[in-house]
Amino acid sequence: MADTAENSASTSSGRYHMDTELVFIEGDAVKDNYNAASVPIYQTATFKQTNADGSGGEYDYSRSGNPTRTAVETHIAKVMKAHRAFVVSTGMTALDVILRLVKTGQEIIAGDDLYGGTNRLLTYVSQFSGIKVHNVDTTDVSKVEARLDPVKTRLVLLESPTNPLIKVADMRTIAARVHEVCPSALVVVDNTMMSPYLQNTLELGADIEYHSGTKYLSGHHDLMAGVIGCREARVAEQVYFVINASGSGLGPFDCWLLLRGIKTLGIRMEKQQGNAIRIADFLEAQGFKVHYPGLRSNPQYELHKGMSSGPGAVLSFETGDVALSERIVESARLWGISVSFGCVNSIISMPCKMSHASIPAEVRKQRRLPEDLIRLCVGIEHHEDLIGDLTNALTKAGVSVKPFSSS
């Protein structure tokens, strides 16, 4: 019953700047007799009906739809400029839902620099579902084109920037070429690293944009969630069918937490990004190889700038020595050693030992993923404290730190 026109999480035309849209909840997003300032949490599994045949209510069972979920989906659809948006239990659940649109015998083209969990799930479907997965360097459009098959290609899965090497794909060109050669294929983008605040991939030509809501959308690492935004009604209907059938929709309380987090996305991202730019400059000044599209020395600086409104707050750098990287990571104090990103507090990790450890070592070597790579997920702390803590960690690890002004 939740799949009605009144309940559809469809976007309205944007009227305000993004910072305002993030905070402003449309009046028709949820029906509340008491006009609560905060969207109510409808913590219920079922809804009473008025007729013996089970009809008469907008909702009947929270697996199919819930007013709190409708509120956050409507809001996210507006922010993402999607026809319709959905929220599910985790970011990986979002990808799992999308992959169910691919049938046995069809093919997926994906990047060769992917989040470890994405690689794990793609490996699973290739082994057990009869789906061929091609991993290519998506920064080279010709390599994507070489794998396109008008009949077999069903999904082209992109990350831009990629995780953890922060490489940039020309999403606009790839999407146009895929739709030209493979009309039935879907272009899907994991936009978690940028968030809808900095990058709108549906406007760049993607059919589906998805996020781990655990990251920037939530912002506090107190929530697990996934978000799916669809550009067209036809695809949205297919996605909703899978979510309803599998029961993967996000619970009411988590929907409320996600909605609360989205309201502060703008101010968090601006602060985190500003810190990241200074930290990238600091690390580059020390002579490290830094992967970050906000550096003018990055060969993809202009490409990224043409698709996004900012470089984001995740960067990585190479030290040239695994043991040195380990000492740096373990010597940090403000930077917590943890997986994930997008939280208000800063995080440091070695992807090959943590978030991407599930990718076999030989595969990491083939894909040129450096074992010494350190990933920084920058938070909202004062940039001088973060740089100071990195300076101390580098010094303790045996690095001679060069003077740097972060002003």
Side-chain angles (χ1 to χ4, degrees):
M1 287 186 184
D3 194 24
T4 62
E6 293 80 14
N7 191 46
S8 176
S10 299
T11 182
S12 60
S13 59
R15 295 172 294 169
Y16 307 110
H17 292 88
M18 176 62 83
D19 298 272
T20 304
E21 293 286 13
L22 289 168
V23 176
F24 178 61
I25 306 295
E26 298 285 352
D28 58 355
V30 64
K31 298 173 182 177
D32 172 34
N33 293 332
Y34 302 100
N35 297 316
S38 175
V39 172
I41 304 170
Y42 287 85
Q43 193 65 47
T44 182
T46 61
F47 299 83
K48 296 178 181 178
Q49 306 302 310
T50 57
N51 301 319
D53 63 359
S55 64
E58 187 173 347
Y59 300 90
D60 63 348
Y61 195 51
S62 280
R63 172 169 55 78
S64 301
N66 178 284
T68 313
R69 190 187 305 154
T70 296
V72 69
E73 288 181 341
T74 301
H75 189 56
I76 291 176
K78 178 188 69 171
V79 170
M80 295 176 70
K81 299 180 181 177
H83 170 77
R84 189 172 181 186
F86 306 93
V87 291
V88 293
S89 56
T90 70
M92 290 310 304
T93 302
L95 178 58
D96 182 60
V97 167
I98 294 166
L99 292 181
R100 289 173 188 249
L101 305 181
V102 185
K103 299 177 181 178
T104 298
Q106 294 183 320
E107 297 183 354
I108 298 171
I109 301 172
D112 60 358
D113 181 32
L114 294 167
Y115 166 54
T118 300
N119 185 83
R120 178 170 52 230
L121 186 55
L122 289 174
T123 300
Y124 180 87
V125 299
S126 69
Q127 292 177 343
F128 297 99
S129 300
I131 297 170
K132 178 69 175 178
V133 178
H134 302 285
N135 292 103
V136 303
D137 180 2
T138 53
T139 65
D140 186 339
V141 177
S142 66
K143 292 184 178 179
V144 177
E145 288 180 317
R147 290 295 186 179
L148 291 176
D149 186 303
V151 177
K152 294 182 179 180
T153 302
R154 173 56 173 160
L155 222 65
V156 177
L157 178 60
L158 304 173
E159 288 183 11
S160 186
T162 61
N163 180 12
L165 288 176
I166 325 296
K167 298 190 295 184
V168 179
D170 187 345
M171 293 178 284
R172 186 180 286 108
T173 300
I174 291 175
R177 187 61 178 147
V178 170
H179 292 142
E180 179 185 352
V181 177
C182 310
S184 62
L186 298 173
V187 176
V188 179
V189 180
D190 179 350
N191 197 32
T192 303
M193 193 173 289
M194 285 289 100
S195 87
Y197 183 74
L198 295 178
Q199 183 169 265
N200 187 306
T201 67
L202 297 179
E203 290 190 327
L204 295 173
D207 300 288
I208 299 175
E209 174 181 315
Y210 76 98
H211 297 259
S212 169
T214 310
K215 313 298 193 295
Y216 288 112
L217 292 173
S218 167
H220 296 81
H221 283 182
D222 54 7
L223 163 71
M224 300 289 286
V227 172
I228 304 170
C230 302
R231 186 160 54 92
E232 298 179 351
R234 174 183 57 84
V235 176
E237 290 170 1
Q238 295 172 5
V239 169
Y240 173 77
F241 180 88
V242 175
I243 293 172
N244 184 41
S246 63
S248 55
L250 194 63
F253 183 67
D254 286 339
C255 286
W256 182 84
L257 281 176
L258 181 59
L259 186 60
R260 183 178 67 166
I262 290 171
K263 293 179 181 180
T264 62
L265 172 62
I267 56 174
R268 286 186 282 107
M269 183 59 84
E270 289 290 353
K271 175 65 173 178
Q272 289 172 277
Q273 180 174 257
N275 285 345
I277 291 171
R278 288 184 171 95
I279 290 165
D281 287 339
F282 165 74
L283 291 170
E284 190 172 56
Q286 305 310 313
F288 294 116
K289 182 177 181 180
V290 183
H291 303 277
Y292 185 60
L295 291 171
R296 291 187 178 275
S297 59
N298 189 308
Q300 296 180 304
Y301 175 85
E302 292 295 337
L303 174 61
H304 180 79
K305 187 178 178 181
M307 298 184 293
S308 308
S309 61
V314 179
L315 59 105
S316 61
F317 67 101
E318 300 174 42
T319 67
D321 183 276
V322 174
L324 174 59
S325 294
E326 291 174 346
R327 293 197 301 272
I328 293 171
V329 170
E330 293 173 356
S331 297
R333 183 167 179 260
L334 287 179
W335 299 80
I337 304 175
S338 179
V339 295
S340 197
F341 57 87
C343 186
V344 291
N345 55 283
S346 296
I347 291 172
I348 190 170
S349 67
M350 293 182 66
C352 289
K353 294 182 177 294
M354 298 176 69
S355 58
H356 292 65
S358 61
I359 302 176
E362 63 272 16
V363 176
R364 296 199 301 266
K365 185 176 181 180
Q366 291 170 4
R367 298 179 183 177
R368 299 179 181 178
L369 183 57
E371 297 291 321
D372 63 297
L373 190 72
I374 295 176
R375 190 182 71 178
L376 298 179
C377 308
V378 186
I380 66 172
E381 304 92 339
H382 197 284
H383 66 271
E384 290 182 355
D385 293 327
L386 292 175
I387 292 175
D389 194 58
L390 280 176
T391 299
N392 292 335
L394 291 170
T395 301
K396 288 181 181 179
V399 177
S400 179
V401 180
K402 301 172 186 176
F404 176 81
S405 174
S406 60
S407 58

